[in-house]
Amino acid sequence: MADPLQPYNSPVHRVLQGLFDRHRECRDGNVATYIPELAKVDPEKFGICVATTDGYVYEVGDTRHPFTIQSISKPFVYGLALDDHGPETMARKVGVEPSGDAFNAISLGEEDGRPVNPMINAGAIATTGQIKSADAAARIAKILETFGLYAGRPLDIDMAVYESETRTGHRNRAIGHLLRNYDVLTDDPTPAVDVYFRQCSILVDCRDLAVMAATLANQGVNPATQQRAIRPEHVESVLSVMASCGMYDSSGGWIYEVGMPAKSGVGGGVLAVLPGQFGIGVFSPRLDTKGNSVRAIRVCADLSRAWQLHQFNPPYSAHSSLRHAYTAAEKHSTRSRRQQEVDCLWDQGRTIRVVEVQGALSLATTEPIVREILKGLAGLRSLIIDFRHVMGLNAAAAAILADLAGQLRENAVCVLFTGAAQLSEAARALVHRFGDAAAAEVFRFPSLDAGLEACEDALLRDVFAETEPRIRDVGEYEIAAGMAAEERAVFESLLTTRHFVRGEYIVRQGDEAHSLFLIAKGVVGVWTGLLVEDARRVASCSVGMMAGGMAFIDGQPRAATLLAEDDVECAVLERSDFDLLQQSHPAIYARILRNIAASLAAKLRLADMHLEVLSCRRG
Ligand code: GLN
């Protein structure tokens, strides 16, 4: 309903409303009468629903009017049977070939009597007969419960329709006996047929159909309740039989024109699934000669055209998921380092490669990434594959990435996957491809910056052959650069030594600033954010560098928290002492001031480098 206070309507809703208006005058077809109770439905009823895989439902028309699910029950019971027995056992009971016959045709295999597919009555009765349960009552209870998971609410049976079909369903009973004759059903067929009649009489509304379809679109998880209705590995089997057999002897024309897996029922419902996107439910009881709702078919065909939903016409061809590729010579981590280390990174940073990937990783979108990585293997020490912008990853993509990582690791290249923590279930597909020990190494850095920093550290350790870098002479501090020996002595006399243990705060964001910290040993992390949950490590400083320079210079409160990441030793310069230098040793004062400015400039330059790399990324 349009909200009178809200002058705008969702364009999505307006398209559905337009289709509703266009087809509501259509009175072609007839309601089903072969089940006498179905003849009583109001033929004018008409509803259209679209349910998204994030749980939103668009509704137009009579979307809350109950009707019986009928044959739309078949794919869901087939899914339940697959969950109970697996595809091999089910394949012995029922085929997956379109019959080209009517829904009630006796399409059984010539020799084994196996129904050709689970979407026609014969196949559906055979399928219902497979559901594991103690007795018929438990079986229908299990079916009802499963349908309730799909719909996200408890469902009931329309007993009048059930009794009506029980009185008249001789043909289905005959099919049941034929199935018994061929040993497709191994017990008395009567209870299986009875449960089948009951499952067909489950009451749903148009909204339920859309949500049930969206659950299949969402790999079996109801988007609103987040409850799983079917094992994920069986969803594609259910959708496949819907695509080839769901509309009975109109299935070929349907997939040709509408292009999505669907199922209809003689109650007037049609349900269609856009895998990964959304579910559609349409309800209108007048049927064509094949038993499919006339308006529903037209709505789905129009909607498919309007929204370009045909599954063989994907919205875009698979693009590479490569977001950006560079080396540590082009972009360093946010660690501020001494000049000789920075020079070394400019010189040898190309041995550390970073590949940032994005989007949904499938074979087609991952293969170009693999090709890109293979192009630059000469002299490679470390490879970082950053997953921060990855939305999902399938098993095929995981397999080729893990294979490449395995080959590189065998050749002593350090491989890191960063930013993968947010991927949860999908990332596990990748993690499982490594042994526990390898996974612990490969995934040890949650953020790209931390990974890059570690790769740089390893490179610098090798080049400078220092196991535990530390300052041995005051002249090695960046802010002492250019001081003469006697100036250094004066400077040194102003410094006091302080130690911080790993994990200790050196200063906190918001504190008043009195001192400047010169790092003699260890690494200091720079964190912003006052609350633990939004704290972010924005930079770090290592031996020789100053920390806390900004507030020291401008007298503002501390802009960031400084945290000792190792056991840290600092030389501390108090502002009061520094201020005195202005009178007593103006040249030293000016030198320090200039060096602080140079250090802040280097930090700005590092920030600019990050911005530049960010702004020229693809996609
Ligand atoms: N209960 C109905 C029958 O078996 C279901 C048929 C259908 O919806 N096509 O005849």
Side-chain angles (χ1 to χ4, degrees):
M1 268 301 134
D3 177 347
L5 296 177
Q6 162 61 280
Y8 299 108
N9 256 318
S10 157
V12 175
H13 187 273
R14 279 158 62 87
V15 168
L16 300 181
Q17 185 68 52
L19 288 179
F20 181 85
D21 295 340
R22 182 179 322 154
H23 295 294
R24 94 196 300 167
E25 298 310 322
C26 164
R27 299 203 161 71
D28 296 351
N30 297 296
V31 303
T33 52
Y34 76 99
I35 300 173
E37 195 66 21
L38 288 185
K40 295 182 187 164
V41 303
D42 177 354
E44 288 303 322
K45 290 285 183 234
F46 187 21
I48 306 175
C49 269
V50 168
T52 67
T53 44
D54 66 357
Y56 189 81
V57 185
Y58 293 94
E59 301 183 55
V60 176
D62 304 311
T63 56
R64 306 292 177 109
H65 182 81
F67 56 91
T68 52
I69 191 166
Q70 298 299 338
S71 276
I72 303 172
S73 61
K74 294 169 181 172
F76 299 103
V77 174
Y78 181 57
L80 188 54
L82 286 171
D83 274 2
D84 274 358
H85 299 282
E88 289 80 26
T89 306
M90 281 311 293
R92 286 197 288 276
K93 294 292 179 186
V94 54
V96 291
E97 292 301 332
S99 67
D101 295 330
F103 65 84
N104 58 1
I106 303 177
S107 303
L108 306 178
E110 269 173 33
E111 275 156 29
D112 55 4
R114 195 178 64 135
V116 287
N117 71 63
M119 300 293 105
I120 53 166
N121 291 6
I125 293 166
T127 303
T128 299
Q130 307 310 315
I131 303 302
K132 280 187 186 160
S133 60
D135 55 26
R139 188 175 280 171
I140 186 63
K142 184 168 165 182
I143 291 172
L144 261 174
E145 194 196 323
T146 302
F147 283 26
L149 290 174
Y150 277 102
R153 70 179 186 104
L155 299 175
D156 290 318
I157 293 174
D158 183 329
M159 289 312 285
V161 173
Y162 157 70
E163 277 155 19
S164 179
E165 187 163 15
T166 304
R167 277 193 299 277
T168 54
H170 309 300
R171 190 180 174 94
N172 283 330
R173 260 192 290 276
I175 289 173
H177 283 283
L178 274 174
L179 293 171
R180 176 70 192 90
N181 174 63
Y182 283 111
D183 276 337
V184 175
L185 292 177
T186 46
D187 285 331
D188 175 8
T190 310
V193 175
D194 182 67
V195 172
Y196 170 76
F197 288 153
R198 288 175 197 265
Q199 85 184 42
C200 288
S201 303
I202 292 175
L203 278 170
V204 289
D205 59 28
C206 182
R207 187 179 204 278
D208 293 326
L209 290 187
V211 174
M212 293 172 88
T215 300
L216 286 174
N218 195 34
Q219 291 184 321
V221 174
N222 180 303
T225 64
Q226 292 301 320
Q227 284 193 294
R228 178 165 288 290
I230 174 174
R231 299 239 297 264
E233 63 267 31
H234 296 143
V235 170
E236 71 180 31
S237 309
V238 170
L239 293 179
S240 299
V241 289
M242 286 169 66
S244 57
C245 320
M247 304 299 278
Y248 318 114
D249 37 345
S250 301
S251 295
W254 170 275
I255 205 73
Y256 187 89
E257 194 177 356
V258 185
M260 45 189 148
K263 188 71 202 82
S264 68
V266 293
V270 167
L271 160 159
V273 180
L274 263 292
Q277 301 178 49
F278 44 80
I280 300 171
V282 187
F283 167 57
S284 170
R286 289 196 189 90
L287 310 178
D288 64 15
T289 50
K290 311 218 162 152
N292 297 323
S293 164
V294 176
R295 280 176 181 157
I297 286 185
R298 294 187 188 171
V299 166
C300 290
D302 285 358
L303 198 59
S304 174
R305 243 185 319 264
W307 283 351
Q308 298 180 280
L309 303 179
H310 200 294
Q311 289 292 280
F312 298 148
N313 179 19
Y316 38 76
S317 57
H319 281 298
S320 163
S321 282
L322 186 65
R323 184 179 174 90
H324 202 63
Y326 48 88
T327 73
E330 295 156 82
K331 183 189 166 206
H332 311 161
S333 72
T334 55
R335 169 81 74 82
S336 64
R337 302 180 185 275
R338 278 182 285 177
Q339 194 55 45
Q340 71 258 39
E341 295 174 333
V342 174
D343 290 344
C344 173
L345 291 180
W346 288 123
D347 190 45
Q348 301 197 32
R350 81 200 114 62
T351 60
I352 302 171
R353 295 192 72 205
V354 179
V355 177
E356 293 184 26
V357 294
Q358 65 183 6
L361 302 188
S362 61
L363 189 92
T365 59
T366 307
E367 176 275 333
I369 295 171
V370 168
R371 219 176 329 132
E372 169 71 25
I373 294 171
L374 288 172
K375 270 199 307 208
L377 293 184
L380 190 68
R381 297 173 55 107
S382 311
L383 172 70
I384 302 176
I385 302 176
D386 184 55
F387 266 43
R388 196 174 14 151
H389 299 282
V390 169
M391 318 291 297
L393 155 102
N394 70 11
I400 60 167
L401 285 175
D403 179 78
L404 181 65
Q407 293 186 53
L408 291 171
R409 282 164 56 79
E410 275 171 29
N411 286 291
V413 175
C414 162
V415 179
L416 299 175
F417 287 92
T418 56
Q422 38 92 15
L423 270 181
S424 62
E425 211 173 314
R428 261 176 258 140
L430 183 58
V431 177
H432 287 326
R433 302 234 160 220
F434 295 89
D436 284 350
E441 266 182 49
V442 166
F443 293 94
R444 71 183 182 277
F445 294 104
S447 80
L448 167 58
D449 194 48
L452 186 52
E453 204 174 316
C455 294
E456 292 170 352
D457 279 346
L459 171 66
L460 295 170
R461 249 195 323 272
D462 284 1
V463 171
F464 292 103
E466 275 181 313
T467 41
E468 219 192 332
R470 64 157 301 136
I471 292 293
R472 303 190 188 276
D473 182 279
V474 78
E476 293 174 49
Y477 288 118
E478 57 168 350
I479 72 161
M483 284 184 194
E486 60 282 13
E487 290 178 325
R488 286 207 297 271
V490 174
F491 175 54
E492 190 164 17
S493 71
L494 300 178
L495 303 176
T496 49
T497 302
R498 282 181 65 187
H499 290 93
F500 300 91
V501 295
R502 183 195 174 97
E504 190 177 345
Y505 290 112
I506 300 172
V507 302
R508 295 210 197 212
Q509 185 172 340
D511 285 356
E512 268 184 56
H514 305 292
S515 22
L516 183 69
F517 299 88
L518 312 179
I519 303 165
K521 184 173 145 289
V523 174
V524 172
V526 182
W527 290 72
T528 60
L530 283 174
L531 299 171
V532 172
E533 54 272 24
D534 49 45
R536 271 174 59 95
R537 183 178 186 268
V538 291
S540 58
C541 313
S542 49
V543 169
M545 312 308 288
M546 66 169 198
M550 263 168 31
F552 184 77
I553 285 296
D554 67 10
Q556 297 284 316
R558 295 284 181 200
T561 295
L562 299 178
L563 185 74
E565 294 190 352
D566 307 311
D567 289 341
V568 166
E569 183 185 316
C570 286
V572 183
L573 176 64
E574 295 301 333
R575 194 167 35 222
S576 48
D577 294 332
F578 178 59
D579 287 344
L580 292 176
L581 276 183
Q582 193 167 10
Q583 295 298 325
S584 60
H585 297 85
I588 302 181
Y589 180 80
R591 166 77 61 197
I592 295 176
L593 214 48
R594 193 168 336 120
N595 286 343
I596 292 178
S599 171
L600 293 176
K603 283 183 183 141
L604 258 185
R605 229 173 252 134
L606 193 60
D608 281 350
M609 177 200 280
H610 279 256
L611 280 182
E612 185 161 336
V613 167
L614 281 178
S615 65
C616 64
R617 68 168 40 139
R618 300 157 198 215

